[in-house]
């Protein structure tokens, strides 16, 4: 993910600003995101750009669509204030495996 706004597409900039609102708890778990039109107005972008930003947030796990009701902040979070993805879980499992291997080596070294 790009972090420099100058290198980001407009929809990525909007998505990043919404992510920050989520991590800062301006937008809370389960809360409805503003409409595409409201986002477009707030961030001075086209409605299509706002739609693309929301689709990106859904893809990344930050938001969950609920049919015609709207899109809501995802309730699947870790303690760090970020959505938990399959990739993140796989990385955590790998880290825990490494730690377990290290502990087993220490225990076996003592026996």
């Amino acid at each position: 993910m790009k972090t420099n706004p100058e290198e980001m597409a407009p929809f990525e900039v909007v998505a990043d600003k919404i992510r920050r609102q989520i991590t800062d708890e301006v937008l809370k778990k389960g809360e409805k995101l503003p409409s595409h039109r409201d986002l477009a107005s707030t961030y001075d972008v086209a409605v299509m750009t706002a739609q693309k930003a929301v689709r990106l947030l859904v893809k990344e796990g930050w938001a969950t669509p609920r049919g015609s009701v709207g899109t809501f902040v995802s309730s699947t979070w870790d303690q760090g204030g970020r959505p938990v993805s399959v990739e993140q879980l796989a990385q955590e499992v790998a880290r825990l495996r490494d730690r377990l291997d290290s502990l087993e080596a220490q225990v076996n070294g003592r026996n």
Side-chain angles (χ1 to χ4, degrees):
M1 179 179 359
K2 298 172 190 169
T3 57
N4 181 351
E6 294 176 5
E7 298 174 355
M8 299 166 80
F11 77 94
E12 293 173 314
V13 173
V14 172
D16 189 58
K17 290 178 180 182
I18 296 169
R19 275 189 219 100
R20 290 177 195 268
Q21 287 187 324
I22 293 170
T23 57
D24 293 344
E25 296 189 28
V26 173
L27 291 169
K28 299 186 182 348
K29 290 181 186 181
E31 186 173 335
K32 186 176 179 179
L33 292 180
S35 70
H36 296 142
R37 283 193 179 129
D38 288 345
L39 289 170
S41 176
T42 298
Y43 297 112
D44 195 28
V45 296
V47 173
M48 292 290 288
T49 301
Q51 289 172 337
K52 198 169 179 180
V54 171
R55 281 196 304 270
L56 177 61
L57 294 170
V58 168
K59 180 181 174 186
E60 293 175 342
W62 290 89
T64 305
R66 293 191 191 157
S68 62
V69 178
T71 305
F72 294 76
V73 176
S74 178
S75 58
T76 308
W77 296 91
D78 69 11
Q79 293 177 345
R82 307 181 111 181
V84 178
S85 68
V86 172
E87 181 180 325
Q88 289 170 316
L89 289 174
Q91 290 171 352
E92 181 65 11
V93 167
R95 187 187 68 75
L96 290 171
R97 273 194 195 122
D98 290 345
R99 179 73 177 131
L100 179 60
D101 289 345
S102 174
L103 292 171
E104 286 176 339
Q106 288 177 8
V107 168
N108 291 335
R110 291 184 198 161
N111 290 338

